[in-house]
Amino acid sequence: MAKTLFDKVWDQHVVKANDDGSVLLYIDRHLVHEVTSPQAFEGLRLAGRRPWRASAAVATPDHNVPTVDRARGIEDPISRIQVEALDANCKEFGITEFGMDDIRQGVVHVVGPEQGLTLPGMTVVCGDSHTATHGAFGAIAMGIGTSEVEHVLATQCLIQKKPKVMCISVEGELPAGITGKDVVLYIIGKIGTAGGTGYAIEFAGSAIRSLSMEGRMSVCNMAIEAGARCGMIGVDDVTIDYVKGRPFAPTGEQCGVAEAAWRELHSDSDARFDHEIVLDAVDIVPQVSWGTSPEMVLPVSASLPDPADARDATQQQGWSHALEYMGLEAGMAIEAIEVDKVFIGSCTNGRIEDFR
């Protein structure tokens, strides 16, 4: 029977199907940081539990770590307490941690792929919404809440209901200078921030395959900004070439066995999706998110919308509030708006390719 990429990975991880339609899903990799983990570790402590498979979890502080002058420590007391708690919890419960002074420390969604902790076909979770990033490797990757962080630590499983599967294909050659960020902003501009609600999105098509792994990670990272549970891209040579040789990636004979399995991680040609969208790459120009929602996105050559032209009262109110908040006026040409600050960093734009 033909299967989608999502179905292939999901089916391999179902421990038990429940009568209410939910399943007990096995989790391969648990990425942990300092913000959503303290209560989870405390829950284990109070219940007298230990992690069921400590080796599946890897932690790193990232939200509260200073960018510069780390020798001075963390000045903010709340931030310092959170990082110190992570250090203590990882030591107590036997979890590998890339601490603040470890060369491997970084944004958790950069560290996972960089270290080979994220591998094709895995189920990956983290107490952070942008865990969808890791779907670029043909993995099911989801953000989870603090209570779920505790559940995964204690059982290495999660109770989940299977979402529907949507395929968004971007076909053709991307114009010069167009990045993965432009592609996904264009998609969100088309389907809206609720367009993926209830779905796992597979991004496919020749334009998606032409992206680097960094570009693919940006696309999957922002699947949640379209309301999706997760985003995924099938495995190909680009994926495998990126993974090979990473510190935690398979080596020797295991590498060959793994690669053979990874190459099956794509949707079958006759697989059926619950919803399909096909977009033309040639239509994508540099995108600008001008407002207060990711769906408020326009080509850089466009002008800001007039609330009077909105499709309904809700959109009209949203545009009006966004223009006021941003200090902009309807009809202004985007190219005429002066740029005073540029933010580059975090999990969406935190890789060397983004900086360059």
Side-chain angles (χ1 to χ4, degrees), residues 30-356:
H30 186 187
L31 301 171
V32 181
H33 61 78
E34 77 275 22
V35 177
T36 53
S37 64
Q39 299 93 331
F41 282 115
E42 183 64 11
L44 290 183
R45 193 175 291 113
L46 291 172
R49 296 191 179 102
R50 301 288 298 179
W52 190 81
R53 184 176 163 229
S55 61
V58 176
T60 189
D62 64 354
H63 285 63
N64 293 289
V65 176
T67 305
V68 296
D69 297 329
R70 292 191 183 183
R72 296 170 57 186
I74 301 174
E75 294 183 5
D76 180 79
I78 296 177
S79 295
R80 185 173 63 253
I81 289 169
Q82 285 191 325
V83 172
E84 289 174 349
L86 180 67
D87 296 342
N89 285 326
C90 288
K91 184 176 182 179
E92 177 182 349
F93 290 100
I95 289 173
T96 298
E97 181 194 8
F98 303 151
M100 195 171 84
D101 297 322
D102 192 312
I103 190 64
R104 299 168 296 179
Q105 181 276 332
V107 174
V108 69
H109 304 309
V110 176
V111 168
E114 181 180 78
Q115 293 297 317
L117 294 163
T118 304
L119 297 173
M122 276 185 164
T123 48
V124 180
V125 298
C126 176
D128 187 280
S129 59
H130 285 100
T131 308
T133 299
H134 308 269
F137 292 84
I140 292 178
M142 302 175 290
I144 57 176
T146 296
S147 61
E148 293 175 308
V149 171
E150 180 183 351
H151 198 280
V152 174
L153 287 170
T155 69
Q156 210 55 44
C157 293
L158 269 182
I159 295 175
Q160 292 284 297
K161 285 200 172 182
K162 187 177 182 180
K164 295 181 290 184
V165 186
M166 175 191 300
C167 181
I168 299 179
S169 296
V170 186
E171 300 290 356
E173 185 175 348
L174 291 169
I178 298 301
T179 68
K181 191 71 171 290
D182 293 309
V183 172
V184 72
L185 282 174
Y186 179 80
I187 290 170
I188 293 171
K190 289 289 185 184
I191 70 174
T193 52
T197 301
Y199 289 93
I201 297 178
E202 179 179 344
F203 299 97
S206 55
I208 297 296
R209 292 192 298 273
S210 74
L211 295 173
S212 66
M213 281 310 302
E214 288 78 5
R216 296 179 187 192
M217 282 188 264
S218 287
V219 169
C220 289
N221 177 293
M222 293 188 65
I224 63 155
E225 307 294 356
R229 187 71 178 98
C230 62
M232 301 180 77
I233 295 173
V235 173
D236 59 13
D237 287 340
V238 175
T239 324
I240 292 172
D241 289 345
Y242 182 97
V243 169
K244 277 185 175 179
R246 302 279 168 177
F248 287 84
T251 58
E253 184 178 334
Q254 283 188 330
C255 183
V257 174
E259 182 177 339
W262 293 343
R263 290 193 178 278
E264 298 299 317
L265 296 174
H266 55 80
S267 289
D268 296 329
S269 59
D270 53 345
R272 301 190 65 174
F273 295 89
D274 296 294
H275 188 51
E276 294 187 62
I277 297 172
V278 180
L279 301 172
D280 194 336
V282 75
D283 295 332
I284 305 177
V285 299
Q287 304 288 300
V288 174
S289 179
W290 61 268
T292 55
S293 166
E295 70 181 18
M296 294 177 183
V297 61
L298 288 168
V300 70
S301 56
S303 297
L304 298 179
D306 188 332
D309 298 327
R311 65 174 177 266
D312 53 40
T314 300
Q315 187 179 64
Q316 184 180 57
Q317 184 179 48
W319 285 0
S320 296
H321 287 171
L323 289 168
E324 180 181 359
Y325 178 81
M326 297 297 291
L328 302 171
E329 296 179 5
M332 290 179 68
I334 288 176
E335 291 177 324
I337 299 172
E338 184 177 349
V339 176
D340 55 357
K341 288 186 178 69
V342 175
F343 175 81
I344 302 178
S346 78
C347 50
T348 313
N349 292 105
R351 303 170 188 87
I352 193 64
E353 179 180 299
D354 301 315
F355 287 92
R356 287 170 175 160

